Amino acid sequence: MEKKPHFVRREFLPREVPSISLALLLVAVLLLNALLYLYLSKFSSSLGRVETDSGLCPFGHFKFGAMKNCSPWLSCEAINREVRKLKCVGEGAVKKVFLSEWKEKKVVLSQLTNSELKEDFLHGLKMLKALQSKHVVRLLGYCEPQFTILTEYHPLGSLRGLNETLHIPKYKGMNTWHRRLMLAIDYVSVIRYLHSSPLGTLVMCDSNDLDKVLSQYLLTSDFHVLVNDLDALPLVNRSAGRLVKCGHRELQGEFVAPEQRWPYGEDVPFEDDLMPPYDEKTDIWKIPDVSNFFLGHVEGSDIVRLHLFDIHAACKKKDPSERPSAQEVLDTYRKVLTLLIREAAMPGTREML
């Protein structure tokens, strides 16, 4: 009698497959978290560079490009002998700017053009010397008797040309919400540095409209932001009761902070002596407008704006004392960047779990 083949029927618990899938998913999440941690650690270390790092040279010295050794700031004699003007690349109310050459390296030579504004020029030089850091354009030398300043050259120019730069084929890969938010973080980092500088709390007064703000900053070739123009940086000293006023003319428009506008109505003519002074919170008021420019209209930028909505609303408080500090704004920007990078690295993970 033939024996029928005997098949053993195995029963699988219905929860085993989901359990295995869940375990694999958790392993994948852990791996992604590890990779994300490594990325964010690298990012944080980049953000946390020493404030006074300026090419790792001692005060009064510089190093840039392929230079291996630090060189003392160039003197009047060295500038006159070794620096050659190539062409004029800009002119403002205070100075004329020349693209120049020093030892086969491109540099920028700035010279006073209006003798009536020499105090502004010298104030800018004083600030440039005292504030050398990763946030400030690198000083290479100066000649005070000739009202001349030599600084590092950045071919991408001021932030005015950011959008045009990002449309150049070479840089199109940089035109992302991530890179644009990092530029905004750089900008807020500069403001935070000025508000807690070695000299005290400094206010960025050359900032009466967006175009003027953008002209004060440079875009480096590795896409970071440096402040370039320090001619108008008055000092706030609360303990001494010292506040500031940005110039002696009436300021108008929504870009400037409410406390910077004439408070007595159109019927009362503007008088500088009657204009109340103010503090560094004027810079905070302007952050949302400048950041809106940085974020542009690329894919994902509206999501970033949504995450920044509350901090930007706080920046726009009419009462300056209710606005956040630059450090608080910076902390929020960094948290938002970290959050959005994590969400981009693990899309849909929360729903799957």
Side-chain angles (χ1 to χ4, degrees):
M1 183 174 176
E2 291 184 9
K3 290 185 179 180
K4 293 182 179 179
H6 181 68
F7 297 99
V8 178
R9 185 178 178 185
R10 296 183 180 179
E11 297 286 344
F12 291 95
L13 293 175
R15 276 181 279 181
E16 285 187 14
V17 173
S19 297
I20 294 172
S21 299
L22 182 59
L24 291 173
L25 178 59
L26 288 173
V27 170
V29 169
L30 289 173
L31 288 173
L32 283 171
N33 268 314
L35 291 172
L36 185 62
Y37 174 79
L38 291 173
Y39 174 83
L40 292 175
S41 296
K42 183 179 179 182
F43 167 73
S44 297
S45 64
S46 174
L47 288 176
R49 296 191 306 269
V50 178
E51 296 291 351
T52 55
D53 174 17
S54 186
L56 301 177
C57 290
F59 180 79
H61 295 71
F62 69 91
K63 179 175 66 175
F64 73 103
M67 291 176 64
K68 294 182 179 180
N69 300 315
C70 296
S71 174
W73 286 338
L74 301 186
S75 63
C76 295
E77 181 183 357
I79 290 174
N80 292 333
R81 185 180 66 248
E82 301 173 12
V83 176
R84 180 171 64 94
K85 291 181 185 177
L86 298 178
K87 63 178 179 179
C88 179
V89 292
E91 184 173 3
V94 178
K95 55 185 176 286
K96 186 177 287 190
V97 180
F98 297 89
L99 175 62
S100 304
E101 191 175 61
W102 173 72
K103 295 187 176 180
E104 300 183 349
K105 299 178 180 67
K106 295 290 192 301
V107 293
V108 173
L109 187 73
S110 301
Q111 291 184 318
L112 177 70
T113 54
N114 186 345
S115 59
E116 294 180 0
L117 298 175
K118 65 180 181 182
E119 293 304 319
D120 291 344
F121 184 89
L122 293 176
H123 176 75
L125 173 58
K126 176 185 175 183
M127 294 293 106
L128 195 53
K129 289 160 61 178
L131 299 176
Q132 283 295 288
S133 71
K134 67 184 180 111
H135 302 294
V136 179
V137 68
R138 185 170 286 121
L139 178 64
L140 308 181
Y142 62 93
C143 180
E144 199 166 318
Q146 298 176 12
F147 298 100
T148 298
I149 300 173
L150 194 69
T151 54
E152 186 177 1
Y153 172 61
H154 293 279
L156 296 183
S158 80
L159 288 177
R160 280 175 172 170
L162 174 62
N163 288 324
E164 289 75 11
T165 297
L166 289 171
H167 283 93
I168 297 173
K170 179 181 178 181
Y171 299 112
K172 277 190 175 181
M174 296 286 194
N175 197 17
T176 64
W177 69 263
H178 169 257
R179 179 57 63 176
R180 283 176 170 271
L181 178 54
M182 288 184 72
L183 289 174
I185 288 174
D186 271 2
Y187 165 71
V188 178
S189 296
V190 173
I191 299 299
R192 196 266 303 160
Y193 177 64
L194 294 178
H195 288 184
S196 56
S197 82
L199 301 177
T201 301
L202 300 169
V203 180
M204 191 66 176
C205 268
D206 266 343
S207 57
N208 297 336
D209 57 61
L210 179 61
D211 191 65
K212 185 65 175 176
V213 171
L214 299 177
S215 72
Q216 308 301 302
Y217 297 85
L218 295 171
L219 180 64
T220 67
S221 297
D222 58 350
F223 271 69
H224 285 284
V225 174
L226 299 175
V227 64
N228 182 50
D229 197 329
L230 304 173
D231 294 345
L233 280 182
L235 178 69
V236 169
N237 189 338
R238 282 192 184 82
S239 61
R242 180 180 177 181
L243 300 176
V244 305
K245 287 192 286 188
C246 291
H248 304 287
R249 298 179 182 179
E250 182 178 3
L251 301 178
Q252 297 177 327
E254 294 299 315
F255 188 83
V256 296
E259 63 271 24
Q260 291 185 280
R261 302 173 208 151
W262 180 241
Y264 302 118
E266 296 180 358
D267 295 335
V268 179
F270 175 82
E271 288 187 39
D272 183 45
D273 291 340
L274 298 178
M275 180 68 199
Y278 34 82
D279 61 17
E280 77 280 3
K281 290 299 183 75
T282 57
D283 290 334
I284 304 300
W285 170 274
K286 298 161 188 172
I287 286 176
D289 298 300
V290 180
S291 289
N292 187 55
F293 167 81
F294 278 120
L295 293 175
H297 300 285
V298 297
E299 182 179 355
S301 62
D302 286 341
I303 299 297
V304 178
R305 286 185 178 90
L306 183 63
H307 282 273
L308 296 177
F309 180 84
D310 288 342
I311 192 67
H312 282 174
C315 291
K316 290 294 187 178
K317 294 277 190 181
K318 188 172 183 180
D319 183 348
S321 66
E322 295 181 1
R323 295 174 204 154
S325 67
Q327 183 65 61
E328 290 171 322
V329 178
L330 181 60
D331 290 342
T332 301
Y333 273 41
R334 288 173 172 172
K335 287 177 183 176
V336 167
L337 177 61
T338 301
L339 172 67
L340 292 178
I341 290 174
R342 182 177 289 118
E343 290 183 352
M346 297 180 291
T349 301
R350 188 179 303 168
E351 290 76 5
M352 293 172 67
L353 292 172

